Amino acid sequence: MALFKLALAATTALTLMAATGAQAEEGMWTFDNFPAAKVNETYGTKIDAKWLNHIQSAAVRLSNCSASVVSPEGLVLTNAHCVIACAQDLSSPEADYTQNGFFTTARTEEKTCPGQSAEILTGITDVTKEINAATSGLTGEAFVKALNAKASELEKAGCGTDQTIRCQVISFYQGGEYKLYKYRRYSDVRLVFYPEYKSGFFGGDPDNFNFPRYNLDAAFLRVYENGQVVKTPNYLKFNPNAPKENDVTFVAGNPGSTQRLMTVAQLETNRDLTIPVSQLQRSELRGRIIQFMAQSPENKRIGTDVLTNLENGFKVFYGQQLALNNPAVMEAKRAEEAALKAGMSAEDKAAFGDPWADIAAAQKEVGDLYFPYYFLEAAPTSSSLFTTARTIVRLAKEKPKPSTERLPEFADTRLPALEKRLLNPSPVEKPLDQIQLEFRLLKAREYLTADSPVTKLLLGKESPEALAKRLIDGTKLTDVAYRKQLIDGGLAAVQASDDPMIQWALKIDSEALAVRKQYEARVTGPTRIASEKIAKIRFKAYGTSTYPDATFSLRLSYGKVTGWEHRGVKVTPFTQVSGLYERATGVEPYELAASWKAAEPKVDKSKVFNYVTTNDIIGGNSGSPVINAKGEVIGAAFDGNIHSLGGAYYYDGTLNRTVVVSSSAIAEALKTVYDRKALLAELTGK
Amino acid sequence: MALFKLALAATTALTLMAATGAQAEEGMWTFDNFPAAKVNETYGTKIDAKWLNHIQSAAVRLSNCSASVVSPEGLVLTNAHCVIACAQDLSSPEADYTQNGFFTTARTEEKTCPGQSAEILTGITDVTKEINAATSGLTGEAFVKALNAKASELEKAGCGTDQTIRCQVISFYQGGEYKLYKYRRYSDVRLVFYPEYKSGFFGGDPDNFNFPRYNLDAAFLRVYENGQVVKTPNYLKFNPNAPKENDVTFVAGNPGSTQRLMTVAQLETNRDLTIPVSQLQRSELRGRIIQFMAQSPENKRIGTDVLTNLENGFKVFYGQQLALNNPAVMEAKRAEEAALKAGMSAEDKAAFGDPWADIAAAQKEVGDLYFPYYFLEAAPTSSSLFTTARTIVRLAKEKPKPSTERLPEFADTRLPALEKRLLNPSPVEKPLDQIQLEFRLLKAREYLTADSPVTKLLLGKESPEALAKRLIDGTKLTDVAYRKQLIDGGLAAVQASDDPMIQWALKIDSEALAVRKQYEARVTGPTRIASEKIAKIRFKAYGTSTYPDATFSLRLSYGKVTGWEHRGVKVTPFTQVSGLYERATGVEPYELAASWKAAEPKVDKSKVFNYVTTNDIIGGNSGSPVINAKGEVIGAAFDGNIHSLGGAYYYDGTLNRTVVVSSSAIAEALKTVYDRKALLAELTGK
């Protein structure tokens, strides 16, 4: 269902499982370093620069997912779960699109998804030298600041203030390389087709990360600019026929974040502290949201999107935890590290020292710093109204400074998107937001204790429940005009505001920034520097035939259609439409949508519904086009099997599988179930 | 607050942290092996057999806690949190004793706590030879069966059918020794004094396992028999003066379960599978109960006890997980194991083989067997109505067999307590029970997947929500008379019943018993046998100056009043009544009870409220008398500090602390706050 929607902010990242040699089909390759020769040799394909350029020009990055242009009229294919937030935003108590689907017959019915954007990568420039020159010899906070300043300067130089293009400096190979990615950006993305919840999310959370599956997890958007449809020759042909077993498949999309080159010390921090603590909180919040939703149909409506994200995030990290708790995995990582270390020349040892020990030392700091950092700087942002307040407060403080002196997220190049986000008119559901804020405040007191200065700063003499209620009840930040007034008024307006959420954000801000600075100086900075050293050692040892860790930037992976076998159970790679009807129990989440029930007599039950491939993907890849050797779209990736969850840390080609909604099911559904003849005609060019 | 209430069923268990030598003050000693000479030498005390006998004769085991007789009229001191369930059971929407407290001025007002019992240990007999003879040469299921049969036979021989005595064969030193414990049992235990929630649980969950503390976590019960107060010369004198820093302290009580001699393989199973999975579920259920309680005052009333248990359990296992995630702890365990192994003679090696490897092999099976076992046999019992149904079903199946052929919990010696439990008239709150059952069914489907045969057996074509609702709505098992009718009618009545819960319990029973049998044959049995071998190897290596793991049987620990220092923060051992008023914010859980607010002008604020000692205790010790060198009660243990949570696996005397509500605070509260002069006079003999 939703593995491959971006669950995490992309972090800085690096390169591949090199010591033992990348497995066949392993890798999330950048378009400027795709191993075309190897693939052509293995699969008899004819991948060349033209083929790659064509794919790149039609591959779309959404704000949290992947997608592809599939018609000359700007039609975009992605997953239903990638646009559920849009469907929710467009809904009201009278029209529940999240549950009932959103269907159009004419372009005039297409509605803009608040806050959504579509970006197409148009160029990649190497800026490693410039970055290295600017950061040379620096460490800690000074390093981070210089890096951010230079990146910001390069982004500005590349894109200026043109809001239709976006530049981003991205670190690859853990700082071994820096590239400037330039995107054509479209800010008016409209919803065209989104199926009912019972169809797009059939099987719900229990089927998530499992296979066999029967999900029409597909949706269509359309790109507009200046009120007009964006016409383009750069689109992928939609082939409504399913592939065959062992057919080659390509996936072009934006994997969000992998940690395949983390050192053992970093993996241990994830295993023993950050993942367990985040999972415990996610579980408790999940329980609260489920019970909240059980209270009324309206609560159920407004809670669905939040719950879906929580449950998906839970499974992602559950799988990661299982992988890290597997002693064999840690043993392999340890051996890989030892081998790389043992292979270092005396010269390298003199030049680099022991960067693994440096990282281990920085990780030790996490134990002391994590909770204050998390509860002051990170956790409160799970309240959307607080996030708005903090962003307005910090914007007011940062904007008067020169761009390079600001916090990186307030650099000139980031401001247009940031201000757009602040003025996004999506409704905020106060009861839900209150639960989220109250919950994080409760957890702060629990994990830090009532005697901690951080708890005292957050709560004063109030209880978490009362404080959250007072802030949420009293804030006017749901009003776009009020937000604009504060933004335009700058720090004076912010300080003079009587909005309780603004005042609370102001109150905790200095201390929050202080713990963030401390965390960067003692953890993030030193880790980044040591990681770069390891990246250089790794380059020397294993050459350049490697892929970098995922960074939510465009990648291409290759693989094939095939099932797997585990504990004696053989799983075949295809499901058919007939299986949907067999699996239905009449009860959620196995209840058929009314449309599918009605269509049963006429639908072609032999059509392939979902299938699995060996492509190496991860969260952020949701909605990615699955492409055949001819460059045609044959489905949209929407999930992974249970074994794919360790993919954050390693790829295991015998078990990891991508789960795809087939083009054949999409075409059959549009034709027989939803009667969307115009959309189907546009898609198939007929 | 509640660390030391028994959170877990006591498991079979063993001996001490011997390889590195027990630390000073380490140990939960049995009364027949207390190191009196060592203690007398260190502390200048005069502990002798008479002193020990006196303590033993006044130490009380409640059904889930510890306590002590403190007057010749059968008055018993324990913790408020040990009787919260009783207060809840006695409550109604009109009289909320849980929140408002339960106070009496005359004996006629004392009310029986449903299901509660008080047991006093009267004798210990060594039955190791008998058990060994009965199990010699047996392995796996045969071993478990023979052991249970022999234990049951010995218990019956020791106690017959007299319901005022109870016999229990207890395994010590992981089967190195077996003892028959004989208790005088009282089944009519009445509530005398239970303070308001705001007083007994001041600071609530956030202060739980922290110090400084200000909890009046004390309550009084009285033991009755045949409608009369039980008079006894065997009681501990109550000394209303607090101890001084470094004073020696003894704690007599029933620590529930420690795992100090678990092998590394077992600890890894806890660390990587069973604790994480249980914590994730506990967290989600906690979120559901909190949100459920927020819906109405009545929901809050009925949910309080369940939530308190969940939150306490959460912290207990959170602390255990932190201990196990500490590489230094695992390294020490590994070294200890290696040293013991290295010290084995060739003869021992031939006799015992490699029992550590045997345990590791059995632990490997847990990965395959745990979820089916957990979700069929263990998890559904979190619904109290299901537990009743299953017990009635199994009782009907087992009772016709000879006692030794039955499941051990249905042996003749266990039947009286079991039938009493089945006919316990405590009210069952159906909405809460429904959440619990629904939740476990949801988790079964989540962890096992919808395609698992276990999920299909549990759910059929129903959803977890609908099934739980149907079973809870439809069951008549809340009616004691109906339960009695089914019990009396035996299997025929059970099979003929149209009660949906009974029918569902019947439906899943064979498969549940099959996974249990499999788990015992492949995990529990082999582990027990190998553990006994290790216990024997350990005896040979370290002699007999050791203590066995906790088994919820009577133990005595010694220590002293002292604070601790951690990360530069020095914590002093005492708090005073004045601190309560300073800490109060006016908001839950830091809101003063009305009684304490009113008493502020007259209460003696210099009195010691809570204090900490180095005594080695664990869950089950809640309510234990804290005793001075003269054998007088100077407080009741009610919690541990945050560092004590690793005590399940190891004792660290520099940091582990027991938290005590002082006799001085209890006396001051009875006198000034609650005006209970008669109770105070009875207590102090004045």
Side-chain angles (χ1 to χ4, degrees):
Chain A
M1 169 169 77
L3 159 67
F4 294 119
K5 181 164 166 182
L6 189 67
L8 278 174
T11 57
T12 44
L14 39 148
T15 161
L16 99 157
M17 195 73 161
T20 51
Q23 294 196 40
E25 293 144 16
E26 176 175 347
M28 302 167 179
W29 301 89
T30 54
F31 272 72
D32 57 358
N33 190 33
F34 187 76
K38 183 181 166 190
V39 174
N40 290 338
E41 192 187 336
T42 312
Y43 291 99
T45 47
K46 289 174 183 164
I47 308 307
D48 55 16
K50 195 181 152 203
W51 190 97
L52 290 168
N53 282 337
H54 175 60
I55 303 297
Q56 181 183 316
S57 71
V60 173
R61 180 170 114 150
L62 300 176
S63 58
N64 57 356
C65 275
S66 301
S68 56
V69 182
V70 289
S71 92
E73 304 275 306
L75 189 68
V76 166
L77 169 64
T78 187
N79 293 146
H81 80 261
C82 290
V83 299
I84 188 175
C86 172
Q88 182 110 0
D89 286 346
L90 297 176
S91 292
S92 65
E94 293 72 44
D96 185 352
Y97 299 126
T98 309
Q99 290 299 324
N100 304 329
F102 180 91
F103 307 104
T104 57
T105 46
R107 301 237 169 122
T108 50
E109 295 166 11
E110 297 172 2
K111 290 193 189 179
T112 301
C113 288
Q116 189 55 278
S117 62
E119 298 180 338
I120 292 172
L121 181 60
T122 56
I124 303 176
T125 316
D126 193 326
V127 294
T128 311
K129 274 184 196 160
E130 290 88 334
I131 294 282
N132 285 350
T135 58
S136 169
L138 298 177
T139 59
E141 203 196 335
F143 174 89
V144 174
K145 208 169 159 185
L147 172 63
N148 289 334
K150 190 68 192 178
S152 183
E153 182 195 317
L154 289 164
E155 290 167 1
K156 207 168 174 178
C159 286
T161 57
D162 185 347
Q163 298 213 20
T164 68
I165 52 176
R166 191 173 72 83
C167 283
Q168 184 184 10
V169 171
I170 303 176
S171 156
F172 293 100
Y173 302 103
Q174 212 152 6
E177 276 185 353
Y178 293 91
K179 301 271 172 96
L180 180 71
Y181 271 47
K182 194 167 180 175
Y183 297 90
R184 181 67 168 86
R185 181 182 168 92
Y186 301 96
S187 307
D188 182 358
V189 181
R190 302 189 189 175
L191 191 57
V192 175
F193 174 92
Y194 163 82
E196 316 88 318
Y197 195 85
K198 284 175 190 164
S199 169
F201 297 77
F202 182 81
D205 178 64
D207 274 8
N208 197 11
F209 297 105
N210 290 312
F211 194 84
R213 290 287 281 284
Y214 307 89
N215 284 60
L216 191 75
D217 194 351
F220 291 96
L221 300 165
R222 194 183 303 278
V223 180
Y224 284 74
E225 196 161 55
N226 304 320
Q228 303 296 316
V229 164
V230 172
K231 303 201 178 209
T232 174
N234 299 322
Y235 68 93
L236 301 181
K237 209 183 141 193
F238 184 90
N239 180 336
N241 300 309
K244 296 196 175 48
E245 194 158 359
N246 293 317
D247 276 2
V248 67
T249 49
F250 299 87
V251 173
N254 302 280
S257 167
T258 49
Q259 292 83 40
R260 293 192 182 168
L261 293 187
M262 270 192 172
T263 69
V264 170
Q266 288 172 290
L267 294 172
E268 284 173 346
T269 300
N270 283 11
R271 183 191 68 187
D272 299 338
L273 177 64
T274 56
I275 294 181
V277 167
S278 78
Q279 283 290 78
L280 292 172
Q281 292 185 53
R282 204 171 274 118
S283 293
E284 188 178 340
L285 186 56
R286 178 189 187 187
R288 292 192 64 161
I289 301 293
I290 288 173
Q291 201 67 30
F292 169 82
M293 289 169 70
Q295 281 178 248
S296 74
E298 173 63 1
N299 281 8
K300 185 174 173 181
R301 185 186 73 77
I302 66 176
T304 297
D305 184 31
V306 171
L307 182 64
T308 303
N309 281 325
L310 272 173
E311 291 187 334
N312 187 63
F314 176 83
K315 276 211 184 170
V316 169
F317 289 103
Y318 180 73
Q320 289 193 17
Q321 182 84 59
L322 283 183
L324 294 175
N325 282 356
N326 181 347
V329 170
M330 290 301 259
E331 213 30 73
K333 293 282 185 184
R334 213 168 268 121
E336 192 188 338
E337 215 161 87
L340 198 57
K341 232 163 148 175
M344 282 172 75
S345 66
E347 191 191 11
D348 283 351
K349 278 179 189 163
F352 296 120
D354 185 348
W356 289 274
D358 297 344
I359 289 182
Q363 293 301 306
K364 270 214 188 314
E365 302 280 331
V366 178
D368 281 353
L369 300 176
Y370 182 68
F371 284 130
Y373 169 74
Y374 176 75
F375 285 111
L376 264 177
E377 177 66 10
T381 63
S382 58
S383 152
S384 130
L385 289 166
F386 172 76
T387 301
T388 300
R390 167 175 281 175
T391 310
I392 289 173
V393 164
R394 291 194 176 166
L395 180 64
K397 287 177 169 181
E398 297 293 305
K399 217 174 174 180
K401 300 178 190 169
S403 178
T404 54
E405 292 293 309
R406 294 178 204 153
L407 294 169
E409 65 269 31
F410 294 95
D412 278 343
T413 49
R414 308 284 171 89
L415 288 188
L418 184 142
E419 291 189 356
K420 188 178 170 193
R421 215 161 49 237
L422 280 178
L423 299 176
N424 172 356
S426 302
V428 177
E429 304 295 351
K430 281 192 164 189
L432 265 183
D433 217 50
Q434 185 175 329
I435 289 177
Q436 302 247 17
L437 185 59
E438 171 188 312
F439 178 72
R440 300 301 170 182
L441 293 171
L442 280 165
K443 294 303 107 178
R445 186 177 66 183
E446 175 173 328
Y447 283 90
L448 292 162
T449 82
D451 297 298
S452 150
V454 171
T455 308
K456 288 177 179 166
L457 174 65
L458 287 169
L459 299 181
K461 280 259 175 182
E462 286 179 283
S463 70
E465 295 88 343
L467 175 60
K469 185 169 164 40
R470 179 172 69 78
L471 298 180
I472 301 280
D473 278 355
T475 188
K476 301 177 293 272
L477 291 170
T478 43
D479 176 6
V480 177
Y482 184 64
R483 298 203 290 263
K484 185 149 177 27
Q485 187 187 319
L486 289 175
I487 295 167
D488 293 345
L491 192 55
V494 166
Q495 284 172 333
S497 164
D498 63 354
D499 191 280
M501 190 68 88
I502 288 283
Q503 286 305 319
W504 190 68
L506 266 174
K507 181 183 114 174
I508 69 171
D509 203 52
S510 309
E511 193 54 37
L513 287 171
V515 296
R516 170 174 163 178
K517 200 167 148 181
Q518 196 180 34
Y519 202 81
E520 282 170 358
R522 288 163 62 184
V523 180
T524 325
T527 298
R528 190 194 292 239
I529 292 165
S531 298
E532 278 186 31
K533 290 181 184 169
I534 295 174
K536 282 173 187 149
I537 294 164
R538 191 174 290 274
F539 270 132
K540 286 196 167 195
Y542 306 114
T544 56
S545 62
T546 62
Y547 64 93
D549 255 335
T551 53
F552 200 44
S553 58
L554 190 64
R555 304 298 177 89
L556 188 63
S557 86
Y558 64 96
K560 65 181 178 191
V561 178
T562 186
W564 77 94
E565 194 172 338
H566 183 62
R567 286 191 178 151
V569 180
K570 203 180 154 99
V571 182
T572 56
F574 298 105
T575 65
Q576 287 77 28
V577 171
S578 56
L580 171 72
Y581 292 98
E582 288 155 20
R583 197 170 184 82
T585 64
V587 191
E588 264 191 357
Y590 297 102
E591 198 181 3
L592 285 176
S595 58
W596 284 85
K597 231 181 270 175
E600 185 169 3
K602 49 188 176 161
V603 74
D604 183 346
K605 290 189 177 177
S606 70
K607 292 283 183 187
V608 166
F609 206 138
N610 293 169
Y611 60 90
V612 291
T613 75
T614 60
N615 291 78
D616 185 7
I617 67 173
I618 200 87
N621 262 119
S622 267
S624 294
V626 179
I627 300 164
N628 65 15
K630 286 193 270 180
E632 300 164 336
V633 174
I634 53 171
F638 73 95
D639 203 356
N641 67 353
I642 194 78
H643 307 291
S644 73
L645 290 161
Y649 305 109
Y650 65 98
Y651 174 82
D652 176 358
T654 62
L655 292 172
N656 285 30
R657 292 295 177 270
T658 288
V659 183
V660 185
V661 52
S662 78
S663 53
S664 65
I666 296 170
E668 180 65 19
L670 291 179
K671 184 180 131 200
T672 313
V673 180
Y674 299 101
D675 193 23
R676 302 288 133 183
K677 293 206 177 61
L679 182 55
L680 184 61
E682 179 180 355
L683 205 53
T684 55
K686 280 169 196 164
Chain B
M1 171 169 73
L3 158 67
F4 294 118
K5 181 164 164 182
L6 189 68
L8 279 173
T11 56
T12 44
L14 37 149
T15 161
L16 99 158
M17 196 74 162
T20 51
Q23 295 195 39
E25 292 143 17
E26 177 175 347
M28 301 167 178
W29 301 89
T30 54
F31 272 72
D32 57 358
N33 189 34
F34 187 75
K38 183 183 168 190
V39 173
N40 289 337
E41 193 187 336
T42 312
Y43 292 98
T45 47
K46 289 174 183 167
I47 309 306
D48 56 15
K50 194 183 152 201
W51 191 97
L52 290 167
N53 281 337
H54 175 59
I55 304 297
Q56 180 183 318
S57 71
V60 173
R61 179 169 117 151
L62 300 175
S63 58
N64 57 356
C65 274
S66 301
S68 56
V69 182
V70 287
S71 92
E73 302 275 307
L75 189 68
V76 166
L77 168 65
T78 187
N79 293 146
H81 80 261
C82 290
V83 299
I84 187 174
C86 171
Q88 183 111 2
D89 286 346
L90 297 176
S91 293
S92 65
E94 293 72 42
D96 185 353
Y97 299 126
T98 309
Q99 289 299 325
N100 305 330
F102 181 90
F103 307 103
T104 56
T105 46
R107 300 236 170 123
T108 49
E109 294 166 11
E110 297 172 4
K111 290 193 189 179
T112 300
C113 289
Q116 188 56 278
S117 62
E119 298 180 338
I120 292 172
L121 180 60
T122 56
I124 303 177
T125 315
D126 193 326
V127 293
T128 312
K129 274 184 195 161
E130 290 86 334
I131 294 282
N132 285 350
T135 58
S136 168
L138 298 177
T139 59
E141 202 196 338
F143 173 88
V144 174
K145 207 169 161 185
L147 171 64
N148 289 334
K150 190 68 193 179
S152 182
E153 182 194 318
L154 290 164
E155 290 167 0
K156 207 169 174 180
C159 287
T161 56
D162 185 346
Q163 297 212 21
T164 68
I165 51 175
R166 191 173 71 82
C167 284
Q168 184 185 9
V169 170
I170 303 175
S171 155
F172 293 100
Y173 303 102
Q174 211 151 6
E177 276 185 353
Y178 293 91
K179 300 272 173 94
L180 180 70
Y181 270 48
K182 194 167 179 175
Y183 298 90
R184 180 67 169 85
R185 181 183 169 92
Y186 301 95
S187 307
D188 182 358
V189 180
R190 302 189 189 174
L191 192 57
V192 175
F193 174 92
Y194 163 83
E196 317 90 318
Y197 194 85
K198 285 175 190 165
S199 170
F201 297 78
F202 182 81
D205 178 64
D207 275 8
N208 197 11
F209 298 106
N210 290 311
F211 194 84
R213 290 286 282 285
Y214 308 87
N215 285 61
L216 192 76
D217 195 349
F220 291 96
L221 300 165
R222 193 183 303 279
V223 181
Y224 284 75
E225 196 160 53
N226 304 318
Q228 301 297 315
V229 164
V230 173
K231 306 203 177 206
T232 174
N234 298 321
Y235 68 94
L236 302 181
K237 207 183 144 192
F238 184 89
N239 180 338
N241 300 307
K244 297 197 175 45
E245 193 158 358
N246 293 317
D247 276 4
V248 68
T249 50
F250 300 87
V251 173
N254 303 279
S257 168
T258 50
Q259 291 84 40
R260 293 193 181 166
L261 292 187
M262 271 194 171
T263 70
V264 170
Q266 289 172 290
L267 294 174
E268 284 172 347
T269 300
N270 283 11
R271 183 190 68 189
D272 299 337
L273 177 65
T274 54
I275 295 181
V277 166
S278 79
Q279 283 290 76
L280 292 171
Q281 292 184 55
R282 204 171 273 119
S283 293
E284 187 178 342
L285 187 57
R286 178 189 187 186
R288 292 192 65 160
I289 301 294
I290 289 172
Q291 201 67 30
F292 170 81
M293 288 169 70
Q295 280 178 251
S296 74
E298 173 62 2
N299 281 8
K300 185 174 175 186
R301 185 186 71 79
I302 66 177
T304 297
D305 184 30
V306 171
L307 182 64
T308 303
N309 281 325
L310 273 173
E311 292 187 333
N312 188 63
F314 177 83
K315 277 211 183 170
V316 170
F317 288 103
Y318 180 74
Q320 288 194 17
Q321 182 84 60
L322 283 183
L324 293 175
N325 282 355
N326 181 347
V329 170
M330 290 301 260
E331 213 30 73
K333 292 283 185 185
R334 212 168 270 121
E336 192 188 337
E337 214 162 87
L340 198 58
K341 230 163 148 175
M344 283 172 73
S345 67
E347 190 191 11
D348 283 350
K349 280 181 188 160
F352 296 120
D354 185 349
W356 290 273
D358 297 343
I359 289 181
Q363 293 302 308
K364 272 214 188 314
E365 301 280 333
V366 177
D368 281 354
L369 300 177
Y370 183 68
F371 284 130
Y373 170 75
Y374 176 75
F375 285 111
L376 264 176
E377 178 64 10
T381 62
S382 58
S383 153
S384 130
L385 288 165
F386 172 76
T387 301
T388 300
R390 169 175 281 175
T391 311
I392 289 173
V393 164
R394 291 195 176 167
L395 180 65
K397 286 176 167 180
E398 297 293 304
K399 216 174 172 180
K401 301 178 190 170
S403 178
T404 55
E405 291 293 308
R406 295 177 204 155
L407 296 168
E409 65 269 31
F410 295 95
D412 279 343
T413 50
R414 309 283 171 90
L415 288 187
L418 185 144
E419 293 190 355
K420 187 179 170 191
R421 215 161 47 236
L422 280 177
L423 300 176
N424 172 356
S426 302
V428 177
E429 304 295 350
K430 279 192 166 188
L432 267 183
D433 216 51
Q434 186 175 327
I435 289 178
Q436 304 246 20
L437 184 59
E438 172 189 310
F439 178 72
R440 300 300 170 182
L441 294 171
L442 281 165
K443 295 303 106 177
R445 187 177 66 183
E446 175 173 327
Y447 283 90
L448 291 163
T449 83
D451 298 297
S452 150
V454 172
T455 309
K456 288 177 179 165
L457 174 64
L458 288 168
L459 298 181
K461 280 257 176 184
E462 286 179 282
S463 70
E465 294 89 344
L467 176 59
K469 184 168 164 39
R470 179 172 69 78
L471 298 180
I472 301 281
D473 278 356
T475 187
K476 301 178 293 272
L477 291 170
T478 44
D479 175 6
V480 177
Y482 184 63
R483 299 204 290 264
K484 184 147 177 32
Q485 187 188 318
L486 289 175
I487 295 166
D488 293 345
L491 193 55
V494 167
Q495 284 172 335
S497 165
D498 63 354
D499 190 280
M501 190 67 89
I502 289 283
Q503 285 305 317
W504 189 68
L506 265 174
K507 181 182 113 174
I508 69 171
D509 203 52
S510 309
E511 193 53 37
L513 286 171
V515 297
R516 170 175 162 174
K517 200 168 149 181
Q518 197 181 32
Y519 202 81
E520 282 170 359
R522 288 163 61 186
V523 181
T524 324
T527 298
R528 189 193 294 237
I529 291 165
S531 298
E532 278 186 31
K533 290 181 183 168
I534 295 174
K536 282 174 187 148
I537 294 163
R538 190 174 291 272
F539 270 131
K540 288 197 167 196
Y542 306 112
T544 55
S545 61
T546 61
Y547 66 92
D549 255 336
T551 53
F552 200 44
S553 57
L554 188 64
R555 304 297 177 89
L556 188 62
S557 86
Y558 64 96
K560 65 181 176 192
V561 178
T562 187
W564 77 95
E565 193 172 338
H566 183 61
R567 287 192 178 151
V569 180
K570 203 178 153 101
V571 183
T572 55
F574 298 105
T575 64
Q576 287 76 28
V577 171
S578 55
L580 170 72
Y581 293 99
E582 288 154 20
R583 196 171 185 82
T585 64
V587 192
E588 263 192 359
Y590 297 102
E591 199 181 2
L592 286 176
S595 58
W596 284 85
K597 231 182 270 175
E600 187 170 4
K602 50 187 174 159
V603 75
D604 182 348
K605 290 190 177 176
S606 71
K607 291 282 183 188
V608 166
F609 206 139
N610 292 169
Y611 61 89
V612 292
T613 75
T614 59
N615 291 77
D616 185 7
I617 68 172
I618 200 87
N621 262 120
S622 268
S624 294
V626 179
I627 300 163
N628 65 16
K630 287 192 268 180
E632 299 164 336
V633 174
I634 52 169
F638 72 96
D639 203 357
N641 67 352
I642 194 78
H643 308 291
S644 73
L645 289 160
Y649 304 109
Y650 65 99
Y651 174 82
D652 176 356
T654 62
L655 292 172
N656 285 31
R657 292 295 176 271
T658 288
V659 183
V660 184
V661 52
S662 77
S663 54
S664 66
I666 296 170
E668 180 65 19
L670 291 179
K671 184 181 129 198
T672 314
V673 181
Y674 299 101
D675 193 23
R676 301 290 133 184
K677 293 203 179 63
L679 181 55
L680 184 60
E682 180 180 358
L683 204 52
T684 55
K686 282 169 192 166

